[in-house]
Amino acid sequence: TGHHWGYGKEDGPSAWHRQYPVAKGNRQSPIDIIPNEARRDSTLGPIFLKYDQCRSLNIANNGHSVVVEFDDSDDRSVVLGGPLDNPYRLKQFHFHWGGKGCEGSEHTVAGVGYASELHVVHWNAVKYKTYNDAAAAPDGLAVLGIFLELGDDHRWLHMITDALYTVKFKGSATDFKGFNPKCLLPSSLHYWTYLGSLTTPPLHESVTWIVLKEPIVVSEKQLGMFRMLQFNGEEEDQRMRMENNFRPPQNLKERIVRSSN
Ligand SMILES: COc1ccc(/C(C)=C/C(=O)O)cc1
Ligand SMILES: [Zn+2]
């Protein structure tokens, strides 16, 4: 129904504000993170990722990215600590990437982008009854951002890329059991944190961002597999390769970025 948002010239990030005026809000994401201007905060403790009991359910193409969803019916897998007042439940993860050889991350560091960015989305089930309620609340979501840089093959990413052919078109989904996202984490959990938003419509200002400083390394071949995905559904005439599905950095406004020790 009606005109949907995308990443093209007419329906891309610069046009989103028409249907989603919060796009010009005071806590929008992503941002450019300037390490020298981040405030080292000794009250910021480490984050803990309790993923050992996580239950992945499926992998899907939602027309904007490829998403792996988890069973969030209990507190089996959560993120806690750091800037968070309580545990947040693991809900899904997805990626953003560029075109061949181009940058595709959403956050940038001192003006420099990475090849891709992984977002691991968690929600505050202590304070909110449902994920949708949490997604619209100022302390509803905690999203872990992990940069992907190009280099050698990532030893475990093939578990995702091997499944991409099954979700080539928008609206496709297949079973995806037994995947634990801890295999996609870098060795250090040092992070920057700030208050921001979803980076896709509805752009709710509901995210406590936790962006890891250390990128993971994936190969151009592996990242290239993501570009086999398509924005369009199987029945649509217009074939559009899924790439450059990232929002550029937004105004920091009156915010500060804090740094873990
Ligand atoms: C309508 O409910 C929504 C909840 C979450 C999201 C996310 C997680 C968006 C994003 O990743 O930027 C979207 C819609
Ligand atoms: Zn994202």
Side-chain angles (χ1 to χ4, degrees), residues 179-216:
F179 185 82
N180 186 326
K182 76 176 179 185
C183 68
L184 298 177
L185 299 176
S187 48
S188 164
L189 291 184
H190 280 301
Y191 62 88
W192 294 289
T193 184
Y194 75 98
L195 297 181
S197 73
L198 303 178
T199 64
T200 64
L203 298 170
H204 291 323
E205 298 187 325
S206 59
V207 181
T208 298
W209 278 96
I210 298 169
V211 179
L212 297 187
K213 296 184 180 181
E214 182 187 336
I216 61 171

Side-chain angles (χ1 to χ4, degrees), residues 53-62 65-73 76-77 89-95 118-123 131-132 160 167 172-181:
Q53 301 308 316
C54 74
R55 181 181 295 153
S56 65
L57 299 174
N58 61 59
I59 187 167
N61 177 335
N62 63 13
S65 183
V66 56
V67 189
V68 172
E69 293 203 317
F70 289 83
D71 172 358
D72 62 345
S73 58
R76 62 180 52 242
S77 39
R89 261 182 212 173
L90 173 62
K91 173 69 179 173
Q92 53 109 313
F93 68 78
H94 63 271
F95 298 81
L118 163 60
H119 289 159
V120 191
V121 181
H122 311 74
W123 63 282
Y131 172 61
N132 272 333
I160 304 271
V167 287
S172 51
T174 50
D175 274 0
F176 195 71
K177 302 282 200 305
F179 185 82
N180 186 326

